[in-house]
Amino acid sequence: MKTVKSPFKFKGGVHPDYNKELARGKAIERMPVPAELVVSMSQHLGAPAKCIVKAGDFVTRGQLIGEKNGFISVLVRAPADGLVKAVEKRPGPTGAKADAVILDTTAEAPEGAVPGVSPVLAPLDWKTASREELLKRVEEAGICGMGGAGFPTAVKLNPPPNKRCEYLVLNGAECEPYLTADFRVMLERADRICVGVEIMRKILGGPAVRIAIEANKPEAIAAMEKAFADIEGNVEIVVLPVLYPQGSEKHQIYATVGRVVPEPPALPIDVGCVVENVGTVAAIADAVEKGEPLLERVTTVSGDAVAEPKNVLAPSGTKYSDLVAFCGGEKEPPAKVISGGTMMGFAVSTLEIGTTKTTSGLLLLSKKRVFQYASGACIGCGRCVRACPMNLNPALISRVVDANDVKAAEDAHVMDCIECGACSFGCPAYRTITQSCRRAKASIRARVAAEKAKAAAAAAKEAK
Ligand code: SF4
Ligand code: SF4
């Protein structure tokens, strides 16, 4: 194992204020299970899980409550013992509604019910278990990418037979301002990450390993060097320059192995890479060795309007209001609440939203930190073009989306946009460029889905 500096620097990127000092020194704290959990069936990318419990059921910790509902989907287990108060549509951080199980964790277990015990699944010895057993475990533990996108991990670790994983890239960049959850996991759980890497290498057929960490996390680099000191094979810690969005999957691949992922629908595996967030890798180790499904995660609660910023280990479905209460409450009424980081997160209007497997941060920002502005006309300064790490022309895309010309946005390769926010960050006219990209992408996806459905219906009619 060796530590090297990344020889590859991507084009573009920005340097936002990182503000990580608020929580980076705070050790991970486990919060007590709150009285009520809001457990969404849509905690991952792809089809939401199919809820299999109903109001009045008593569920135990680790019990299956949502079945996988398609190839790109992830099952959901109960994060705690409790009585199902209701199953109803609840909004997630993006505002999109999905079925959620509302769990009263204070309810008495009915006679005969066996409260959830640990381990939930039988522990496995990864050295003797087969690749198939390990893959199955990742799936039955309900693991998805915890870095933000929530891609089903069992699908990612099982590429088609004609595609080989040559590099397993561990994403420990955590370039989003304020967030320190991954940093603390690397500092405090580096040994679990190391076990997770061994398991993933076995599943993927022994790829080389590249662990990507930004240079502003020297303590995490040291902890990982220590944990990985005796690992065998081709393993490198790659120290990346501090530059947003260094944590993007595509940019990590370029920064660590110098390969460029082509336009969508191409995936990292098309250039021989699998990228996984460090928290996800630790979760895989726990699922295999300890039989613990993914029922909880570390979330950074930070910002100048929260009394005591912390890195909180909380069960999935913990309401934002309970997270804030565990951090001492509000220091002052927040002018803005963001689920995630300031660059890619979503502003939310209520704290009655439950965390998911991908909730990396919750930020409460005071008036002082929130800039009120009105968007103006583009002045053609080109700053967004220089900042875009995907070589797009964000000014053009924003103009054509304003004119409702989605076709022109598609021609300008808007589907390549990774929604990093680097363009909006530096725009002197305060144009909401990233939101325009999101809008155009959603509209294109909806059109493609409608075309597919129409084609499928026509094929079914012809077959009759
Ligand atoms: S256009 Fe997309 S990829 Fe480019 S800077 Fe803006 S948000 Fe990022
Ligand atoms: S940064 Fe803003 S003002 Fe400058 S070219 Fe881009 S959209 Fe126009």
Side-chain angles (χ1 to χ4, degrees):
M1 205 280 298
K2 60 179 176 176
T3 301
V4 298
K5 273 192 184 165
S6 167
F8 307 106
K9 185 195 165 293
F10 61 84
K11 178 234 157 222
V14 291
H15 291 279
D17 285 343
Y18 282 94
N19 291 307
K20 290 185 187 267
E21 65 287 349
L22 288 171
R24 68 177 286 148
K26 304 290 182 65
I28 297 168
E29 253 186 84
R30 180 186 290 278
M31 74 176 270
V33 175
E36 183 178 274
L37 295 171
V38 178
V39 188
S40 175
M41 293 293 115
S42 183
Q43 303 200 29
H44 51 268
L45 189 131
K50 184 174 161 229
C51 184
I52 57 168
V53 292
K54 59 184 186 319
D57 289 351
F58 188 86
V59 298
T60 57
R61 183 179 176 276
Q63 181 181 327
L64 191 66
I65 58 172
E67 282 173 348
K68 193 175 162 207
N69 196 13
F71 181 62
I72 307 290
S73 185
V74 177
L75 58 80
V76 179
R77 291 177 182 274
D81 297 347
L83 180 73
V84 178
K85 285 206 285 196
V87 178
E88 58 192 33
K89 298 269 183 221
R90 286 286 183 102
T94 62
K97 287 188 176 178
D99 280 343
V101 172
I102 317 301
L103 213 54
D104 174 3
T105 67
T106 63
E108 285 287 316
E111 211 175 316
V114 182
V117 286
S118 192
V120 172
L121 304 162
L124 284 175
D125 179 352
W126 67 265
K127 289 181 186 151
T128 55
S130 67
R131 172 185 185 271
E132 287 67 33
E133 283 173 312
L134 295 172
L135 253 183
K136 182 164 173 263
R137 173 52 52 90
V138 172
E139 183 174 301
E140 65 193 359
I143 299 176
C144 62
M146 295 164 74
F151 193 84
T153 305
V155 177
K156 197 184 259 191
L157 294 182
N158 194 19
N162 61 337
K163 293 181 181 167
R164 198 169 76 81
C165 173
E166 296 166 68
Y167 289 97
L168 168 61
V169 180
L170 258 61
N171 186 348
E174 200 171 47
C175 59
E176 267 279 1
Y178 288 92
L179 305 190
T180 55
D182 288 347
F183 169 72
R184 292 307 311 188
V185 169
M186 287 189 282
L187 214 56
E188 300 178 40
R189 308 203 66 218
D191 54 336
R192 301 309 297 156
I193 298 172
C194 188
V195 172
V197 163
E198 295 281 26
I199 295 166
M200 292 174 81
R201 277 206 300 199
K202 184 163 178 180
I203 295 174
L204 290 166
V209 179
R210 297 292 179 263
I211 304 167
I213 309 176
E214 271 191 329
N216 60 358
K217 301 177 184 65
E219 309 93 321
I221 294 169
M224 295 287 275
E225 282 173 334
K226 194 170 163 214
F228 282 77
D230 297 328
I231 198 166
E232 289 177 5
N234 184 349
V235 180
E236 288 178 5
I237 292 178
V238 184
V239 181
L240 311 177
V242 180
L243 179 64
Y244 181 88
Q246 196 68 265
S248 131
E249 196 169 64
K250 291 183 175 180
H251 297 91
Q252 292 252 297
I253 291 171
Y254 183 66
T256 53
V257 301
R259 296 184 181 180
V260 177
V261 182
E263 283 186 17
L267 295 168
I269 194 64
D270 292 308
V271 293
C273 295
V274 165
V275 184
E276 207 53 271
N277 162 269
V278 286
T280 315
V281 181
I284 289 172
D286 289 350
V288 172
E289 282 199 329
K290 299 182 178 175
E292 278 297 318
L294 181 53
L295 305 178
E296 58 188 17
R297 67 155 296 145
V298 181
T299 298
T300 301
V301 183
S302 190
D304 64 338
V306 67
E308 198 188 339
K310 288 181 180 181
N311 296 293
V312 184
L313 181 60
S316 289
T318 297
K319 288 187 287 185
Y320 292 174
S321 52
D322 288 321
L323 276 177
V324 173
F326 184 67
C327 294
E330 293 171 0
K331 196 152 76 178
E332 59 181 284
K336 196 173 204 176
V337 178
I338 299 175
S339 177
T342 48
M343 296 298 285
M344 289 188 76
F346 292 88
V348 294
S349 56
T350 169
L351 291 179
E352 296 309 293
I353 294 172
T355 58
T356 68
K357 297 166 186 175
T358 63
T359 308
S360 51
L362 178 67
L363 309 180
L364 275 68
L365 305 176
S366 77
K367 239 188 196 161
K368 288 196 293 291
R369 306 293 309 180
V370 177
F371 181 49
Q372 304 286 341
Y373 59 85
S375 289
C378 171
I379 59 168
C381 67
R383 208 182 277 186
C384 57
V385 179
R386 288 191 295 279
C388 180
M390 294 306 293
N391 280 317
L392 301 177
N393 184 336
L396 169 70
I397 293 173
S398 140
R399 264 202 315 275
V400 296
V401 174
D402 277 1
N404 283 324
D405 191 348
V406 176
K407 171 76 175 63
E410 196 171 4
D411 291 344
H413 304 277
V414 71
M415 292 310 282
D416 268 3
C417 169
I418 57 170
E419 302 173 24
C420 66
C423 48
S424 310
F425 173 77
C427 175
Y430 310 123
R431 291 181 63 76
T432 51
I433 314 170
T434 313
Q435 286 81 351
S436 295
C437 293
R438 277 188 184 144
R439 251 195 356 259
K441 286 173 71 178
S443 164
I444 293 165
R445 280 197 202 105
R447 191 203 68 217
V448 170
E451 284 168 0
K452 272 189 188 163
K454 199 172 159 192
K461 199 173 164 192
E462 213 173 285
K464 272 187 190 170

